[in-house]
Amino acid sequence: MSDARALPRRPDRFFPLAVGGAAVAIALLFLIYPLANAILGAFVRNGQPVTFANLTLANFERFLTSVSYQRALWHSITAGAAATALATAISLPMAYAVARVAMPLRATVLAVSVLPLISPPFIGAYAWIILLGNNGIFTNLLRDYVGVGLPSIYGFFGVTVALALSYFPYVFLVLQGALAAVDTHIEEAAAIAGASRWRVLRTVTLPMILPSVAAGMLIVFIKAIGDFGVPSILGGEYQVLPTLIYYQIHGFFNLNGAAAIAMVNVALTLLALGALAWINRARAVATVSGTARRAARPLPAPLRWSAIFYVWLVLVVANLPQAVTVLYSFSERWGDTLLPSIYGLENYRRIVGEIAGPALNSVILAGAATIVCLAFGAITAHAATRGRIAGRWAVDLIIMVPFVLPGLVIGVAYLAAFNEGALVLTGTATILIMAYFTRRVAFVFRSAAAAILQLDRRLEEASTICGASWATTMRRVILPLIAPALLAGGILVFATLIGEISVTVLLYSARWKTLTIAIYEYLLGNDIAKASAFGTVTIVMTFALVAAASRLAGRNMADMFR
Amino acid sequence: MLSIRELTKTFASPSGELAAVDRISFDVAPGEFFTMLGPSGCGKTTTLRMIAGLETPTSGAIAFDGRDYTRVPPQQRNIGMVFQSYALFPHLSVFENVAYGLRNRGVKGTELERRVAEVLGALQLDGFKTRLPSTLSGGQQQRVSIARALVYRPSMLLLDEPLANLDAKLRIQMREEIRRIQREFGILSLYVTHDQEEAMAISDRLALFNAGRLVQIGRPGDLYRQPATLFAADFIGRANFFAARLAGRDASGAKIALAGGPELTVARVVALAPEEAARVPADVDGLLMARPERIGIAPGSRGIRARIGRMQQLGGCQRYIVAAEAAVGEVTVDSWRAGEEYGEGADAALTLDGSDCVLFLRPEKSA
Ligand SMILES: Nc1ncnc2c1ncn2[C@@H]1O[C@H](COP(=O)(O)OP(=O)(O)O)[C@@H](O)[C@H]1O
Ligand SMILES: [Mg+2]
């Protein structure tokens, strides 16, 4: 008596088709349609329908005629470039020190180095005002006791520094990884051939990691030109493309005009992205997988301790905003002294009644978006890594492009797509959830794809041969094996969404006000005490979640951002 | 001349300080090809790296031609080194890889071109000047790394398992090549390998390491014929051991009796270190070591009684794996006499010549 009769007679096609079809539908509706619609909208005058006859370049003419448009473009490029340069200058010695110098608490250093990435940049930006603003703590201390006046923090200087300190971990991590991967024997070979330490660095080490330097710089540049929070807090009159988009919408509700600005912003981003793809190809060729078992030759003690001091100095300065926010939230009086003069929980008492609503909203929106990301990300990752689907690169592209596009751009695209017509979502939770999903699905996609690639393909074949249907194979074999990666990716999505502002600020409604919007409003209303208490809650929540995710994945927090 | 004196290197390990290299001393003569041999993890690389200046000795001294090198940085030692991973500069062409050390020494222009071309020629790399390392085969990369190490005429050449990444055939070809070039340049060379056959084939002298200690130094033949410890006997070539009882001593050596076998006089007597004495069976005084090709095998029962377990045809000779009376473990016998093949399971007798054997005695018996 054989069990063959219980087996499905034909290979089942239903589940993969149904699941795949749903994924394609979501991609079409929430990824492709809004972006395509925004691209078309940029070529139509405000309020007019998209028809062939209506196509025009009028929205872009402002870049030729309006000084404020030209300034914003110029500011985006210069502040982005300056922030990138500063971040790289900070990161190069730091990466070398962490990768090569015998350093106590190296794992801690790495984990702390990504804190600036985890905490929302606009909260940090405000802390710089508390420290260095016109009436800032350091500003006053320096003026009263040293007699030195600081330049205004508003404008190019403040935006550049805050962006650099917020995003430097990207370039730092790339460089540190590249340096750690270099086969140290190659540098030893150079030393033995008679090259001094400095010469080895200049002629061997730096040229070898040059593609990584460029790649890290481009990531920082892409992030910096897409950031809304920092320039909106520290910019003042100094506008950049994302703030310009914001005012086009909040001031004039000129969706088509905003779409045109967004396209210019996208063009900049894609230019950088193209360069990045080109460099990454070169990088793959030049990479020499290291067998760097040996510790590098020790530096003389004074140099070594200077290096360690430098690393911690950067960490402290970059995390100063987070520290100030927390400190401020627990202070009841903070006048002209380095530290608060009276501590207390007054600020928290004042927000008790107000925080529940926004916090709950944030959790619901981020949670729902995370669930969509998990389902969609896992399925597409499986299809992209295992399926025999044509256009695998297209899947990659559809998922990765929204990930790198500025949040304001996604926001504009969603507003334009779902404001009227067949599917009206403006003001709903759905629009926020789907916009969040668009911006973050890449996290899950990437970690799931990596996990699936590591699975032996024969596991699936074995499951199929044992008679399991596609759905059973997914449920019983694939999902349990990639669950830790999925969960870690999911928590990361959730955590970073709690601090999301740039897409939220365009799409939220009175009903769905989030934590970050509440903070933003307090900051604009100059209620720093409440903002800092809200900010502290947000920062602590985000940190705790990311720490949990890294625990779960068994990886250093830093590795979750590589 | 290179002199190593009481060289020691300890590393911090979870279980306390670990001596990776423990009080090692040896000298290497100008132009000599000297090999450090030993199982993986015995401290060869660490020793080599201390000589290169890449690792700082915990104690001890390194001197070259009378000058103390112990604390001199690697840049100033004027040595050449070949790494197992080749460690070629991936961003530089073959020419620039080889030219690197010359540029560090301020050599320029036609002089540079000439010297690089000379070395590339010696290593049959003339056609590869403009290629990047990643486009070369393993053997070619190895040649480039040797060329890079030799071009500035270093005072010694260090090679750390340079053949480990090559396939078996290329390995044998390259080791002849290395030896040829070493002779051509007449350069003092320090070679590290865990492969005893390679070490025997290539070296003028070799140093056998075990667990951070130097076990024995000598010419390859000396180490093979006169191992100083059981470890050395085991590690180099094949060794057969028989349980031996001491019957007496005289000027010609030690008289011993093998269980069930004839009496033998052995000239080479070695006192075992206490830690190796544990390998001697409880009821005897020591172990007699004989090499496979030094054991006679014949039909009948005149000698040590044995039974053939397996026979392997090794081309020139037959190898018999036999179970023998008095033997500790299996006995391997290589017989070069054509035609005398014994079937598996057949009885045979083994004969030994005392002048070919080494006797390892318990410490208290060898006084
Ligand atoms: N940098 C290091 N730190 C700690 N232990 C080391 C280090 N380098 C080598 N060792 C240890 O020293 C011992 C000898 O290593 P090595 O010299 O590489 O051996 P070999 O080259 O003979 O295989 C090994 O036990 C190894 O684990
Ligand atoms: Mg080694």
Side-chain angles (χ1 to χ4, degrees):
Chain A
M1 192 63 208
S2 111
D3 292 331
R5 268 177 296 165
L7 293 176
R9 255 162 299 160
R10 266 175 296 155
D12 66 315
R13 293 242 156 270
F14 174 72
F15 262 109
L17 279 181
V19 174
V24 170
I26 290 180
L28 280 175
L29 189 56
F30 290 103
L31 293 173
I32 299 172
Y33 165 62
L35 288 176
N37 184 59
I39 294 173
L40 289 176
F43 294 94
V44 176
R45 277 179 206 281
N46 193 28
Q48 290 188 342
V50 178
T51 63
F52 191 74
N54 281 340
L55 292 187
T56 169
L57 287 175
N59 294 323
F60 293 95
E61 269 168 26
R62 302 289 283 278
F63 280 100
L64 297 176
T65 57
S66 156
V67 178
S68 66
Y69 273 54
Q70 287 167 358
R71 282 222 182 108
L73 175 59
W74 180 240
H75 289 164
S76 269
I77 295 173
T78 47
T84 306
L86 182 57
T88 311
I90 294 170
S91 297
L92 255 177
M94 176 159 168
Y96 191 84
V98 175
R100 292 300 170 74
V101 177
M103 179 163 300
L105 303 175
R106 192 192 310 269
T108 313
V109 167
L110 278 171
V112 173
S113 77
V114 294
L115 294 188
L117 288 185
I118 302 171
S119 69
F122 77 99
I123 299 179
Y126 204 85
W128 286 117
I129 297 181
I130 299 178
L131 289 170
L132 302 173
N134 295 339
N135 199 23
I137 296 162
F138 284 161
T139 318
N140 289 345
L141 286 175
L142 283 176
R143 192 193 52 223
D144 296 348
Y145 295 99
V146 191
V148 179
L150 281 180
S152 168
I153 190 164
Y154 297 98
F156 173 79
F157 170 68
V159 169
T160 300
V161 171
L163 285 176
L165 288 175
S166 294
Y167 292 121
F168 87 90
Y170 283 118
V171 61
F172 162 70
L173 288 178
V174 169
L175 291 181
Q176 189 266 341
L179 281 167
V182 168
D183 184 348
T184 47
H185 286 147
I186 295 177
E187 288 160 324
E188 292 177 355
I192 283 181
S196 66
R197 236 179 229 286
W198 171 241
R199 203 174 152 80
V200 173
L201 198 65
R202 199 167 53 76
T203 60
V204 175
T205 314
L206 277 179
M208 276 170 61
I209 62 160
L210 205 56
S212 298
V213 177
M217 289 178 77
L218 283 167
I219 298 173
V220 172
F221 183 72
I222 289 171
K223 289 290 173 187
I225 61 170
D227 191 272
F228 167 74
V230 168
S232 80
I233 301 282
L234 288 176
E237 299 289 293
Y238 183 90
Q239 290 218 334
V240 293
L241 291 177
T243 48
L244 192 64
I245 295 175
Y246 178 76
Y247 291 116
Q248 277 302 306
I249 288 178
H250 264 230
F252 311 101
F253 205 73
N254 181 354
L255 271 176
N256 301 74
I261 309 168
M263 285 312 121
V264 174
N265 205 341
V266 169
L268 269 186
T269 309
L270 290 184
L271 221 60
L273 207 60
L276 183 61
W278 184 73
I279 286 167
N280 274 341
R281 261 219 328 266
R283 200 149 71 122
V285 175
T287 302
V288 259
S289 61
T291 49
R293 173 176 76 96
R294 306 267 166 186
R297 251 184 324 139
L299 284 179
L303 261 180
R304 174 169 170 249
W305 285 108
S306 317
I308 295 171
F309 173 77
Y310 173 76
V311 167
W312 281 100
L313 183 70
V314 172
L315 290 181
V316 166
V317 172
N319 286 297
L320 212 51
Q322 284 78 261
V324 167
T325 305
V326 175
L327 207 57
Y328 205 101
S329 76
F330 287 108
S331 74
E332 286 175 13
R333 230 188 88 98
W334 196 348
D336 290 347
T337 48
L338 190 58
L339 289 174
S341 39
I342 302 177
Y343 293 91
L345 294 174
E346 180 57 25
N347 296 331
Y348 289 92
R349 235 168 271 135
R350 282 176 54 208
I351 63 162
V352 165
E354 298 171 36
I355 197 166
L360 191 64
N361 285 344
S362 282
V363 169
I364 291 173
L365 294 171
T370 304
I371 291 168
V372 183
C373 283
L374 282 175
F376 186 87
I379 288 164
T380 44
H382 187 259
T385 46
R386 283 295 153 80
R388 286 168 292 271
I389 53 168
R392 197 168 293 185
W393 61 271
V395 176
D396 262 15
L397 199 69
I398 290 169
I399 288 180
M400 296 312 287
V401 163
F403 177 62
V404 294
L405 288 187
L408 261 285
V409 170
I410 305 289
V412 168
Y414 265 60
L415 273 183
F418 304 116
N419 195 39
E420 53 191 22
L423 190 58
V424 178
L425 295 174
T426 316
T428 64
T430 312
I431 195 169
L432 278 165
I433 292 169
M434 295 315 287
Y436 283 178
F437 151 74
T438 309
R439 290 203 73 199
R440 292 288 190 272
V441 64
F443 275 142
V444 176
F445 177 82
R446 282 202 304 197
S447 67
I452 292 170
L453 271 180
Q454 298 209 323
L455 289 186
D456 190 340
R457 184 190 278 276
R458 275 159 294 195
L459 280 178
E460 283 166 66
E461 291 167 359
S463 167
T464 310
I465 285 170
C466 291
S469 67
W470 182 85
T472 309
T473 302
M474 279 302 266
R475 188 169 51 80
R476 296 280 313 280
V477 181
I478 308 293
L479 275 180
L481 286 171
I482 65 170
L486 279 182
L487 205 54
I491 297 178
L492 199 61
V493 167
F494 187 82
T496 55
L497 283 178
I498 294 288
E500 212 292 333
I501 185 150
S502 53
V503 79
T504 319
V505 78
L506 286 188
L507 298 179
Y508 83 96
S509 58
R511 163 68 189 85
W512 289 104
K513 203 155 96 179
T514 63
L515 272 178
T516 47
I517 296 298
I519 298 169
Y520 192 61
E521 286 177 348
Y522 286 136
L523 289 181
L524 295 185
N526 240 336
D527 193 342
I528 306 162
K530 278 191 183 173
S532 66
F534 265 68
T536 301
V537 172
T538 312
I539 291 175
V540 168
M541 246 166 100
T542 325
F543 283 6
L545 283 165
V546 174
S550 82
R551 241 318 141 74
L552 210 96
R555 292 190 298 172
N556 189 297
M557 229 146 82
D559 296 328
M560 323 244 340
F561 290 89
R562 281 188 209 270
Chain B
M1 189 169 82
L2 174 70
S3 304
I4 310 296
R5 287 290 168 271
E6 295 283 309
L7 198 62
T8 299
K9 177 76 184 179
T10 58
F11 289 113
S13 82
S15 53
E17 293 282 296
L18 176 106
V21 175
D22 196 358
R23 284 166 290 146
I24 281 180
S25 304
F26 59 84
D27 290 328
V28 187
E32 192 175 18
F33 197 109
F34 188 88
T35 297
M36 296 193 269
L37 170 69
S40 162
C42 68
K44 311 177 295 285
T45 297
T46 307
T47 307
L48 197 73
R49 287 169 59 85
M50 287 192 281
I51 296 169
L54 297 170
E55 210 96 58
T56 314
T58 310
S59 64
I62 300 162
F64 186 79
D65 283 349
R67 185 180 159 209
D68 181 27
Y69 262 32
T70 316
R71 309 273 150 184
V72 176
Q75 291 86 355
Q76 292 159 24
R77 293 193 184 199
N78 195 34
I79 49 186
M81 184 156 177
V82 175
F83 294 82
Q84 179 178 339
S85 59
Y86 316 141
L88 296 178
F89 307 128
H91 58 298
L92 298 182
S93 66
V94 167
F95 180 90
E96 283 302 329
N97 261 282
V98 175
Y100 192 81
L102 290 175
R103 290 196 191 280
N104 289 333
R105 288 161 173 76
V107 181
K108 290 197 193 71
T110 49
E111 161 85 351
L112 178 95
E113 304 249 347
R114 188 182 59 71
R115 288 179 62 180
V116 173
E118 201 176 281
V119 178
L120 287 178
L123 281 137
Q124 287 136 40
L125 284 167
D126 311 80
F128 299 97
K129 271 185 175 182
T130 57
R131 300 263 290 266
L132 281 178
S134 54
T135 67
L136 301 181
S137 73
Q140 289 162 345
Q141 291 188 36
Q142 187 58 277
R143 285 168 201 272
V144 176
S145 87
I146 295 171
R148 181 179 66 182
L150 286 175
V151 70
Y152 45 85
R153 300 195 195 108
S155 50
M156 59 180 137
L157 180 64
L158 311 181
L159 307 101
D160 190 356
E161 312 235 8
L163 306 180
N165 287 351
L166 301 178
D167 63 53
K169 201 151 197 171
L170 200 54
R171 211 151 48 217
I172 292 176
Q173 205 179 320
M174 272 308 288
R175 82 183 183 207
E176 293 313 313
E177 179 93 3
I178 287 176
R179 184 64 188 176
R180 175 182 69 76
I181 288 172
Q182 186 265 340
R183 287 221 173 90
E184 196 175 312
F185 281 74
I187 186 170
L188 185 164
S189 298
L190 224 59
Y191 189 93
V192 161
T193 181
H194 64 268
D195 180 339
Q196 56 97 12
E197 191 203 317
E198 190 174 297
M200 303 279 280
I202 201 171
S203 318
D204 290 325
R205 279 192 309 146
L206 49 87
L208 180 63
F209 282 60
N210 186 29
R213 299 281 188 83
L214 220 172
V215 175
Q216 193 174 1
I217 297 185
R219 287 175 300 171
D222 298 342
L223 263 75
Y224 186 73
R225 282 188 298 270
Q226 303 178 26
T229 68
L230 286 178
F231 169 81
D234 258 344
F235 193 82
I236 293 175
R238 273 178 186 256
N240 300 301
F241 295 105
F242 299 89
R245 274 197 194 84
L246 193 60
R249 276 244 157 103
D250 62 24
S252 60
K255 281 203 182 346
I256 55 160
L258 292 182
E263 287 210 348
L264 230 51
T265 305
V266 185
R268 295 186 193 121
V269 180
V270 175
L272 283 174
E275 66 268 20
E276 284 197 326
R279 283 180 56 184
V280 180
D283 53 340
V284 294
D285 303 324
L287 290 174
L288 185 72
M289 193 282 291
R291 297 293 184 187
E293 70 283 0
R294 292 289 160 195
I295 301 178
I297 185 165
S301 57
R302 285 197 20 236
I304 303 165
R305 278 189 298 176
R307 170 160 293 163
I308 313 286
R310 271 172 296 131
M311 199 274 287
Q312 300 166 351
Q313 192 63 51
L314 298 186
C317 73
Q318 291 86 247
R319 168 164 292 175
Y320 299 103
I321 314 289
V322 307
E325 213 170 18
V328 177
E330 285 179 327
V331 175
T332 303
V333 181
D334 287 347
S335 165
W336 293 84
R337 270 175 292 179
E340 267 187 51
E341 290 181 19
Y342 303 91
E344 295 186 352
D347 287 327
L350 306 182
T351 50
L352 295 173
D353 182 340
S355 59
D356 290 333
C357 297
V358 179
L359 178 63
F360 293 97
L361 282 181
R362 286 180 189 283
E364 67 273 13
K365 288 288 178 182
S366 47

